[in-house]
Amino acid sequence: MEISPEPEVARNARLDRIKRRQGGEVIEEAPGETEEQDGDERLRFYCHLDWHEQFAPRCKHCQTPILGEHIVALGAHWHYGHFFCAECGDPFEHGMTHIEKDGYAWCIKCQTQRTERRAPKCRRCKKGVVGQYIQALGGEWHDECFRCAECKGGFDDGQVFPRDDGSILCTSCRMIELKR
């Protein structure tokens, strides 16, 4: 049978309570920390099951002790399979990346979709504008969408000519259009 010593942090807390009581301090008793349970100053040893029941971290989801590898996220410990995406509910497996946002964990796919849903929409393609973008003509545009409708080029001279249909022209294409 495996026998393990009392963890140093737990032992130091127990010895501190004993010392404070010996000094005459009245300490409010909590479960597992009563004067009787604190006992004397001798080092304690525990069987495998008792050690895990008393000292192992507990899973935030199921509240049972965690044995072995687990996930530490959102300020808590989780069994693999008990830590999952707030949106799709898929569990995060060993080594998977998650994004912590608003007190929840999100998988990359769901966080990307969530960001795109909340992002302003591009005036041309109507998809979410995330990251760098161009703000012009009263809206946001992806760089690849803010192009001349005719030549697909940029607007190097800073001149933009909007059409009634919502498309835009560069100076050269606008000159050609005016000559027609």
Side-chain angles (χ1 to χ4, degrees):
M1 177 183 276
E2 181 181 329
I3 302 293
S4 299
E6 178 179 24
E8 190 172 335
V9 171
R11 183 167 195 265
N12 289 340
R14 183 174 62 84
L15 293 177
D16 180 61
R17 288 190 302 274
I18 291 169
K19 184 178 177 183
R20 289 169 41 208
R21 283 188 192 104
Q22 288 171 347
E25 187 177 338
V26 177
I27 299 174
E28 187 176 327
E29 294 189 341
E33 298 178 357
T34 66
E35 186 170 2
E36 183 180 351
Q37 290 167 321
D38 282 343
D40 59 32
E41 297 174 359
R42 289 181 289 183
L43 179 61
R44 295 182 174 174
F45 292 89
Y46 297 86
C47 73
H48 175 78
L49 295 174
D50 285 345
W51 191 95
H52 281 95
E53 188 61 37
Q54 291 187 37
F55 304 114
R58 293 191 173 269
C59 176
K60 172 90 177 202
H61 180 73
C62 69
Q63 297 302 311
T64 61
I66 299 173
L67 309 176
E69 288 190 39
H70 61 283
I71 298 170
V72 178
L74 300 172
H77 298 261
W78 311 79
H79 287 112
Y80 282 107
H82 289 183
F83 183 61
F84 39 85
C85 176
E87 181 76 17
C88 67
D90 287 346
F92 293 101
E93 298 301 328
H94 186 69
M96 281 182 69
T97 301
H98 69 277
I99 296 168
E100 295 182 10
K101 182 107 170 127
D102 302 329
Y104 297 97
W106 303 79
C107 68
I108 300 297
K109 179 182 170 202
C110 289
Q111 178 59 27
T112 300
Q113 290 171 346
R114 182 175 185 247
T115 300
E116 287 175 354
R117 280 193 307 267
R118 293 177 172 201
K121 305 303 177 225
C122 175
R123 291 264 319 259
R124 180 168 172 256
C125 71
K126 307 302 185 221
K127 292 182 181 174
V129 178
V130 180
Q132 290 187 340
Y133 61 92
I134 296 169
Q135 191 167 23
L137 304 174
E140 289 79 19
W141 307 71
H142 295 110
D143 183 53
E144 62 273 12
C145 293
F146 193 69
R147 299 285 171 202
C148 175
E150 296 297 324
C151 71
K152 309 297 184 231
F155 304 96
D156 297 334
D157 64 0
Q159 296 292 315
V160 179
F161 298 93
R163 287 176 161 168
D164 291 337
D165 65 1
S167 64
I168 50 180
L169 297 175
C170 66
T171 302
S172 299
C173 293
R174 176 68 176 153
M175 296 299 251
I176 293 168
E177 184 179 72
L178 288 174
K179 290 179 184 177
R180 290 186 199 160

